[in-house]
């Protein structure tokens, strides 16, 4: 079990949606794309950067998702104005919401 062997690993969950007009294997019961990472090589690689402000201005946030299927990338390409939530925590704790917002831009590139 990963939890007892590596209690120091971070976990992250990125949820984008809802997608009321789509049906695909990657969607959960809320019709949203959900990406989970647990700090091991077995899950999606997720990288994010959140810049909080003291004022009530928009919070610039960048989320990078790696090794996605072509189908998933095409769904994300049409994600403008969809809700996005980033949750994170340790593998042996619950997830805490770090960011709630909307997707303003999405694109795919080969590295």
């Amino acid at each position: 079990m990963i939890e007892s062997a590596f209690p120091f690993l971070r976990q992250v969950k990125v949820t984008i949606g809802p997608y009321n007009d789509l049906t695909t294997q990657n969607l959960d019961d809320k019709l949203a794309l959900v990406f989970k990472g647990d700090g091991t090589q077995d899950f999606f690689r997720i990288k994010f950067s959140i810049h909080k402000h003291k004022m009530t201005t928009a919070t610039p946030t960048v989320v990078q998702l790696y090794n996605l299927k072509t189908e998933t990338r095409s769904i994300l390409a049409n994600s403008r104005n969809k809700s996005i939530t980033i949750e994170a925590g340790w593998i042996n704790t619950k997830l805490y919401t770090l960011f709630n917002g909307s997707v303003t831009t999405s694109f795919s590139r080969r590295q």
Side-chain angles (χ1 to χ4, degrees):
M1 176 184 240
I2 291 175
E3 189 172 315
S4 61
F6 302 103
F8 52 85
L9 288 177
R10 294 181 181 135
Q11 60 179 337
V12 64
K13 178 179 171 183
V14 176
T15 306
I16 304 171
Y19 291 91
N20 298 326
D21 54 341
L22 297 176
T23 56
T24 179
Q25 292 178 340
N26 291 348
L27 300 178
D28 68 3
D29 58 352
K30 295 179 184 176
L31 294 177
L33 285 170
V34 178
F35 302 94
K36 296 179 181 179
D38 72 349
T40 67
Q41 299 295 326
D42 299 332
F43 287 87
F44 288 102
R45 183 170 167 229
I46 301 168
K47 185 176 176 182
F48 62 92
S49 173
I50 302 170
H51 299 279
K52 293 280 190 181
H53 295 280
K54 292 181 181 180
M55 309 270 304
T56 58
T57 59
T59 303
T61 301
V62 175
V63 179
Q64 296 173 321
L65 304 166
Y66 295 87
N67 301 325
L68 301 178
K69 294 181 187 177
T70 304
E71 174 187 319
T72 306
R73 287 194 311 264
S74 66
I75 292 170
L76 288 174
N78 298 313
S79 294
R80 188 176 171 95
N81 297 322
K82 297 290 185 188
S83 296
I84 182 168
T85 302
I86 302 172
E87 300 170 87
W90 298 102
I91 201 76
N92 58 352
T93 65
K94 72 176 197 165
L95 294 173
Y96 295 93
T97 301
L98 301 179
F99 177 80
N100 279 315
S102 298
V103 175
T104 56
T105 307
S106 62
F107 61 90
S108 175
R109 70 175 178 205
R110 187 166 186 89
Q111 289 194 330

